[in-house]
Amino acid sequence: MEWTAPAIILDIRPHGEGGVIATLLTEEHGRHAGLAKGGASRGQSALWQPGNLVEARWVARLPEQLGALSAELVHPAAALAMEDPLALAALRSACAVAESALPEREAHPRIFHGLVAFIATLARGTELALPDLVRWEAELLADLGYGLDFSACAVTGSREDLAFVSPRSARAVSSAGAGEWRERLLPLPAFLLGQGPSGPLDWAAGLRLTGHFLARDVYGVHNRGLPAARDLLTDRVAGLAA
């Protein structure tokens, strides 16, 4: 059994003497793990870092085996993000969510391409990439069957002035429809509707929105919390917004 494909490194764990078990995300093979011999060595450690884009090769005798991984670096996203704590937090959060939320060896091409696009945007600027990260999390929710509905107000049916999301139904609510319940609703940042620029307050609102449904629908059903890297990103963005 063998395949070669572009991949994103999501996670690495030490294994044996100098090896790592790496988890990758590919378009066709989904979230897929393998053993990279020598992956923790001085010569390879920079390659096997979460967030890096690689050309990966996986080989095994049987499909159910862990298999062996090798790779060539395509884009050193981890090294590029090291100088910006917020960029590094965003990159690690995205990788941690993909690694822990996606089922093993199940193709999710839209999520793969969305994560590649986010990593490419991150190289141009963190302020550009954070809205992409929130949109990517919303796409992940949809791919897993928990899509958010921003098509119209759940109360009035209006498509105008959508400003909130119901934490129960995941449907948008307009300012007029919110009424006395607005304090119990989740703010809907305009960038998720494709409207206007965004800043730290909008990013914080977006992360709170997608984080609520990730915690409830993806992690909560397995009695797990959000990944620590996701919580760290939320704290960093909240600090900027404050």
Side-chain angles (χ1 to χ4, degrees):
M1 304 299 299
E2 178 179 344
W3 55 255
T4 301
I8 305 163
I9 299 173
L10 300 180
D11 182 60
I12 56 166
R13 303 194 315 273
H15 182 81
E17 294 188 9
V20 298
I21 294 177
T23 302
L24 312 179
L25 181 63
T26 73
E27 178 181 13
E28 182 179 351
H29 306 285
R31 179 172 67 86
H32 204 294
L35 173 62
K37 294 182 179 180
S41 67
R42 181 177 298 181
Q44 292 193 46
S45 60
L47 166 66
W48 297 104
Q49 292 296 321
N52 282 350
L53 303 182
V54 299
E55 184 72 14
R57 180 173 180 260
W58 177 84
V59 181
R61 289 180 58 249
L62 299 171
E64 63 269 18
Q65 291 180 324
L66 177 63
L69 274 173
S70 58
E72 294 183 5
L73 184 63
V74 175
H75 176 67
L80 293 175
M82 284 293 180
E83 296 182 2
D84 181 348
L86 183 59
L88 187 60
L91 183 63
R92 287 179 173 172
S93 175
C95 290
V97 168
E99 193 276 332
S100 57
L102 292 173
E104 189 175 13
R105 300 192 181 188
E106 182 179 297
H108 286 270
R110 183 167 70 145
I111 301 309
F112 170 75
H113 288 293
L115 189 52
V116 170
F118 158 72
I119 292 171
T121 305
L122 191 63
R124 294 166 43 218
T126 312
E127 71 283 354
L128 300 174
L130 281 170
D132 278 0
L133 177 59
V134 176
R135 284 187 284 260
W136 175 79
E137 288 187 343
E139 288 182 352
L140 185 144
L141 283 164
D143 250 38
L144 295 178
Y146 308 108
L148 310 179
D149 184 357
F150 304 150
S151 60
C153 175
V155 179
T156 67
S158 171
R159 298 178 183 272
E160 304 298 326
D161 196 25
L162 301 179
F164 302 97
V165 175
S166 166
R168 295 186 64 184
S169 70
R171 295 182 62 189
V173 180
S174 66
S175 292
E180 63 185 38
W181 301 100
R182 67 176 55 233
E183 296 300 323
R184 301 186 183 184
L185 302 175
L186 297 166
L188 173 58
F191 72 82
L192 281 176
L193 302 173
Q195 300 170 2
S198 63
L201 285 172
D202 305 295
W203 308 335
L207 289 169
R208 180 188 173 199
L209 174 61
T210 52
H212 169 82
F213 293 104
L214 284 169
R216 187 191 73 178
D217 298 327
V218 177
Y219 295 99
V221 295
H222 300 293
N223 294 314
R224 291 185 292 156
L226 289 169
R230 177 55 162 74
D231 289 336
L232 176 61
L233 174 63
T234 300
D235 291 343
R236 286 195 178 275
V237 173
L240 287 177

